[in-house]
Amino acid sequence: EVRLHLAIDAQRTVEGFTSWLPVARDGRIVGWTVDLMRRRDGGAFRPVMEFLIGASALQFQEEGYEFLSLSAAPLAKAPDTAAEDSDQRVLQALLDLLGDTLEPYYGFRSLLRFKAKFKPEFRPIHLVYPDETALAEIGIAVARAYMPEAGPVAWAQMAVEVVGSSDERG
C-alpha cells in the first residue's frame, strides 16, 4: 500500500521521489505519512522535494484524505520542557548527545528545518521503555536504524566524538 510519487523531467530522468505510507484508523486509510524523500544528485531541478510534497498534498486532498504527515525528525533537539529536577532532563541530555553525534551522518536538524518550511503542526512523539537499563540498547538500535551500513571504523569514530563531546561539556 506504499504510494510512490515521482518527478520526471522531459528527458524521462527521475529528478526525485517520495514514498508515502498509509495511516489507518478502524481499518480505513485516513492519511499518508512520508517515508523516503530523495532527489537526484546534481539534478537541475533543485526544489524537487518541495514540488513533490506540494503535489502529493494536493493529490491526497483531492482524494479526500484527512491529513498528510511529514513524519518525524528524530533527534533534532526538541524544545526542553522538563522540570529542572526531572529524570527527563538526563534522558534529553543523552538524546541531544546522540543527535549531535549522528547529525553529520544523517542530518536530523537540516531535515527538521526543511520540513518546517511547510508550516506543519508539530506533535510530540514519546518513547516508552521499561526502565533505564534499556536505554543503551535503544540508543544502539536507533543509531543502527539510521546508519545500517556503518562499520566498526565509523562506530569507533563516533564513540571518540561522543567522548570528546562529553569532555567539552564538562
Side-chain angles (χ1 to χ4, degrees), residues 94-135:
L94 289 170
L95 291 173
D96 290 346
L97 181 60
L98 182 59
D100 289 346
T101 304
L102 294 177
E103 179 66 23
Y105 302 97
Y106 188 78
F108 302 103
R109 292 181 184 121
S110 62
L111 178 61
L112 180 62
R113 282 191 305 276
F114 171 78
K115 290 177 178 183
K117 289 193 267 185
F118 296 94
K119 308 256 188 273
E121 178 181 317
F122 290 98
R123 296 192 177 172
I125 296 175
H126 301 278
L127 173 65
V128 179
Y129 52 93
D131 59 52
E132 294 79 15
T133 60
L135 289 176

Side-chain angles (χ1 to χ4, degrees), residues 55-166:
S56 297
L58 291 172
Q59 180 69 38
F60 292 140
Q61 181 181 42
E62 199 174 286
E63 293 174 13
Y65 292 105
E66 292 178 24
F67 67 90
L68 171 144
S69 169
L70 295 178
S71 196
L75 302 175
K77 185 138 173 100
D80 192 357
T81 58
E84 278 296 320
D85 60 347
S86 171
D87 288 344
Q88 289 179 350
R89 289 183 84 64
V90 173
L91 177 57
Q92 187 62 52
L94 289 170
L95 291 173
D96 290 346
L97 181 60
L98 182 59
D100 289 346
T101 304
L102 294 177
E103 179 66 23
Y105 302 97
Y106 188 78
F108 302 103
R109 292 181 184 121
S110 62
L111 178 61
L112 180 62
R113 282 191 305 276
F114 171 78
K115 290 177 178 183
K117 289 193 267 185
F118 296 94
K119 308 256 188 273
E121 178 181 317
F122 290 98
R123 296 192 177 172
I125 296 175
H126 301 278
L127 173 65
V128 179
Y129 52 93
D131 59 52
E132 294 79 15
T133 60
L135 289 176
E137 191 173 341
I138 291 168
I140 291 168
V142 168
R144 285 203 178 278
Y146 286 98
M147 298 179 15
E149 304 298 320
V153 172
W155 286 106
Q157 287 172 333
M158 284 185 287
V160 167
E161 290 175 22
V162 167
V163 170
S165 296
S166 62

